[in-house]
Amino acid sequence: MKKLNILILLFIIISLFAVMPVSAQGGDDGVSDDEVNAIARDLFCPVCENTPLDVCETQACKQWRELIRLKLSEGQTEAEIKQYFVDNYGARVLDEPPKEGFNLLVYFVPPAIILVGIIVLFRAFKEWQGDDQEEYEDSSEGSIEPKRASADDDYMAQFEEELKKKK
Amino acid sequence: MTEENTPENSVRKGMPLWIQITVWSVMIALLVVVFVGLQRAREGNVQAGAETANFDFTMPLFEGYDYEGAQEISLTDLRGKIVVLNFWATWCVPCQQEADELEEAWQHYKPDGEVIFVGVDYVDTEPEALAYLAEYGITYPNGPDMGTKISQAFRIQGVPETYFLDRNGVVQHVQLGPFSSTQQIIGIVDSLR
């Protein structure tokens, strides 16, 4: 009976642990993985191109994440940590290049190209519209036949005249 | 008669000159950027015969890994000496394989002071780097590649990579990948003396 009571007690304790809320694991420093990943997802390790730091599984990226954890535990802000990575590994570690110098091209060239494209298309549509209108205006009054019809008439008249001459 | 496509009409209907100039300028500029980028990518790492005067650098050194008491090292200050420039990283397994050989070779040349070994730590974190240097007993000057500027200047393709510079700062030999033995390193350095 005593053994049964101990078993029941153990079962209750284990059950209590099982229903405890689960949160992202943190180290002894009190910094959770979520906090580390919130910064890591905006960084890219130069060794693993195109893979955000928070999902990269290489040894280098693991070390970087540990460094973020260390700096967070030291009380550094997100901006300070990102600046540390830029100073040490270059601006290419950022997911968005800083808006300065040559990088400005990234921000201005694509919108400029789209703008120019819109202007070109707008003008082209306007010209096509203008051409259609001119064709109708040039055709005979009251007729809805386009200009091609009048050109065909000229050709037919010339063709008939040539036939008459042959006869 | 149909309306002819006269030059007057073309000018009237065409894009304004300033737009044409702008569009062509942007297109040419983009092509130049792409061309330069591709050309650079195709070049690969710096080859033997390259003058390092074109991409001189000053590198801070890890504490305890100074050069003649200075906490930074400049490539121009090393003119007159044979330089063995080794790119490495703690996460790089082949780097670990050659760590002992590099230190042995450094100890071989250290007394006469004519050859200097310099370690460039690529994309690493300082705590791990210091632990690595201590673990492998490395004593020659070592520092981080701040902003990956040195590795970009040498256009390294990976780690480890080692560049042997003669007394004039000209690259004489490039070792891609780890060394197989201490004698291999000594053989290359001796050929430059």
Side-chain angles (χ1 to χ4, degrees), chain B residues 18-79:
Chain B
W18 69 270
I19 290 184
Q20 288 187 34
I21 291 171
T22 309
V23 169
W24 280 107
S25 304
V26 169
M27 294 294 282
I28 290 166
L30 281 175
L31 280 174
V32 168
V33 169
V34 170
F35 178 76
V36 170
L38 287 174
Q39 194 77 359
R40 200 175 152 79
R42 212 170 59 98
E43 275 177 342
N45 64 291
V46 164
Q47 299 294 314
E51 296 263 359
T52 55
N54 302 327
F55 38 88
D56 184 34
F57 65 82
T58 300
M59 180 177 74
L61 296 169
F62 291 130
E63 208 176 320
Y65 295 89
D66 54 286
Y67 171 63
E68 293 178 347
Q71 273 306 307
E72 60 177 33
I73 198 166
S74 170
L75 202 54
T76 45
D77 294 344
L78 302 176
R79 293 284 186 273

Side-chain angles (χ1 to χ4, degrees), chain A residues 147-158:
Chain A
K147 194 159 64 178
R148 184 184 297 276
S150 110
D152 286 349
D153 288 346
D154 290 344
Y155 176 76
M156 285 305 290
Q158 196 180 352

Side-chain angles (χ1 to χ4, degrees), chain B residues 149-190:
Chain B
K149 285 177 184 158
I150 306 169
S151 50
Q152 284 185 59
F154 280 82
R155 302 193 298 271
I156 69 163
Q157 306 295 298
V159 279
E161 273 185 26
T162 308
Y163 294 80
F164 293 81
L165 279 54
D166 68 13
R167 294 175 200 276
N168 300 315
V170 179
V171 177
Q172 292 297 347
H173 183 84
V174 181
Q175 172 73 24
L176 303 179
F179 294 102
S180 53
S181 65
T182 308
Q183 279 312 311
Q184 187 193 359
I185 305 169
I186 290 173
I188 297 165
V189 173
D190 283 350

Side-chain angles (χ1 to χ4, degrees), chain A residues 23 40 51 88 120 162:
Chain A
S23 57
T51 309
N88 280 270
V120 169
E162 291 290 327

Side-chain angles (χ1 to χ4, degrees), chain A residues 1 16 24 27 58 60 62 67 72 74 84 87-88 97-98 102-103 110 119 121 131 144 148 154 156 165-166:
Chain A
M1 190 62 189
L16 275 174
T58 64
K62 281 178 187 167
L67 191 61
L72 280 171
E74 288 171 356
Y84 170 86
D87 292 342
N88 280 270
F102 194 68
N103 291 335
I119 293 170
L121 274 176
D131 285 350
I144 55 164
R148 184 184 297 276
D154 290 344
M156 285 305 290
K165 276 181 192 172
K166 283 200 173 180

